[in-house]
Amino acid sequence: MKHSDILHPVSSTFCFLSVLTVAMFAQNPVFRLPALLGGIAFYFCLDGKNGLRRNIVGDMILFILVAVTNPLFVHNGVTPLFFLNGNAITLEAVLCGIDISAMLLSVVLWFRCVNIVMTSDKLLYLFGKLSPRISILLSSALRFVPLFREQARKIRTAQKALGLYASDSITDRIRASCRTYSALVSWALENAVDTGASMKGRGYELHGRTFYSSYKLKAADIAVLLVTAASDITVGIAAANGSLGFSFYPRITEPKADLATIAAATAFCIISFLPSVLEAKEAVLWRYYRSKI
């Protein structure tokens, strides 16, 4: 049992939005590291070490690609490290590239966590009354990726059984891939039409309908909401006072160490690691209760 499974969808959504908003729009390296480490810790709690191992190659490629690309195309800065084809590779551009890479990677990790935590039932519960069409669209979009991947695997397996992938010729393999893609697109379109017709036939847009899953705000949900709201207020006050200002160009500015900045960084660290701490606590309690059986 995971803590995110029993947490109210409103609490989970509020926490995710708070972390992602600060991670994407707070242009300060002080907030990059907590967002990145918090995303890694939470994803590890949700998907385990196999999930991290499965995505580590792609994540490292993304990190290195963005970190290397920025200094190659941006030559601002007053501290040149070396020259490449007559263009200066500056320290400021390199550090800015690393900062952007950390931001992108942290956002990717947190969205993976969102994809695991925010199930179809939770999305329908959140947006069903506000906008039924948006809720079913979001739910279908999040579910579409794993279904699309699984169906592609089934189609390739069936075509291999028919001998379509037996040849090593590049032309034959391209033709087989095109047939797979054509069948996959046809399946996706038919599945979307069938889903829409089924939901309409069941009266999905009718007023007063009930939901499959019922969620109630508990003490833990209220505590998460209060902690997240307090963190947002602290970060917002620091941003309004200009305490979070930071720039890489033309010269790296020194991060402020006043009370507002320290309070905002501490508050953001708390909400960044709050989901993983709750998951770890739930795992410890689960193992303890199982040992008593």
Side-chain angles (χ1 to χ4, degrees):
M1 177 66 69
K2 296 184 180 297
H3 189 272
S4 57
D5 295 334
I6 60 177
L7 198 64
H8 198 278
V10 174
S11 302
S12 300
T13 304
F14 189 34
C15 184
F16 284 138
L17 288 177
S18 299
V19 174
L20 286 171
T21 301
V22 176
M24 288 188 293
F25 298 106
Q27 298 180 355
N28 195 316
V30 175
F31 297 93
R32 302 299 192 213
L33 189 60
L36 179 59
L37 296 181
I40 294 174
F42 191 33
Y43 187 64
F44 175 78
C45 293
L46 293 175
D47 207 11
K49 60 182 180 180
N50 292 329
L52 290 175
R53 188 185 301 113
R54 185 170 57 251
N55 297 289
I56 188 171
V57 176
D59 293 343
M60 293 305 299
I61 292 176
L62 174 65
F63 185 89
I64 295 173
L65 182 63
V66 177
V68 172
T69 302
N70 187 73
L72 291 179
F73 290 94
V74 179
H75 307 290
N76 298 333
V78 297
T79 312
L81 299 176
F82 59 91
F83 288 86
L84 183 64
N85 294 329
N87 296 316
I89 305 298
T90 63
L91 176 63
E92 290 79 8
V94 172
L95 294 179
C96 184
I98 295 175
D99 180 71
I100 296 174
S101 299
M103 183 271 292
L104 288 176
L105 188 55
S106 63
V107 170
V108 169
L109 286 168
W110 279 101
F111 269 111
R112 285 176 187 163
C113 298
V114 171
N115 191 32
I116 296 175
V117 173
M118 300 305 296
T119 60
S120 299
D121 290 340
K122 292 183 178 181
L123 289 174
L124 292 176
Y125 181 84
L126 280 175
F127 301 101
K129 294 182 179 180
L130 180 63
S131 177
R133 295 185 179 182
I134 292 179
S135 64
I136 194 63
L137 179 63
L138 291 175
S139 177
S140 300
L142 291 177
R143 184 58 179 157
F144 181 74
V145 175
L147 286 178
F148 200 82
R149 185 182 303 169
E150 179 64 20
Q151 186 66 19
R153 185 190 63 81
K154 292 180 180 179
I155 294 174
R156 283 195 299 268
T157 302
Q159 292 196 355
K160 285 182 179 179
L162 295 174
L164 296 180
Y165 282 92
S167 176
D168 293 333
S169 174
I170 298 178
T171 304
D172 292 339
R173 294 182 66 86
I174 291 177
R175 289 177 180 176
S177 299
C178 290
R179 283 191 292 266
T180 301
Y181 179 75
S182 176
L184 193 59
V185 171
S186 300
W187 169 84
L189 294 175
E190 292 175 0
N191 187 54
V193 172
D194 291 342
T195 301
S198 176
M199 297 298 290
K200 185 176 182 179
R202 296 178 182 182
Y204 176 70
E205 295 184 350
L206 295 179
H207 180 71
R209 68 191 181 282
T210 57
F211 297 95
Y212 176 78
S213 300
S214 179
Y215 300 94
K216 294 181 179 180
L217 280 174
K218 302 179 290 295
D221 301 315
I222 296 176
V224 171
L225 288 173
L226 291 177
V227 171
T228 307
S231 174
D232 292 342
I233 294 173
T234 304
V235 175
I237 293 175
N241 292 334
S243 300
L244 304 185
F246 186 88
S247 178
F248 285 96
Y249 306 114
R251 190 185 304 272
I252 299 176
T253 59
E254 294 183 4
K256 295 183 179 180
D258 55 359
L259 182 60
T261 304
I262 296 175
T266 303
F268 184 68
C269 285
I270 292 175
I271 64 170
S272 295
F273 289 97
L274 180 62
S276 56
V277 171
L278 294 176
E279 290 293 342
K281 178 184 73 67
E282 189 69 24
V284 172
L285 290 176
W286 182 254
R287 291 182 180 180
Y288 172 76
Y289 290 142
R290 288 187 62 182
S291 65
K292 295 296 182 180
I293 299 176

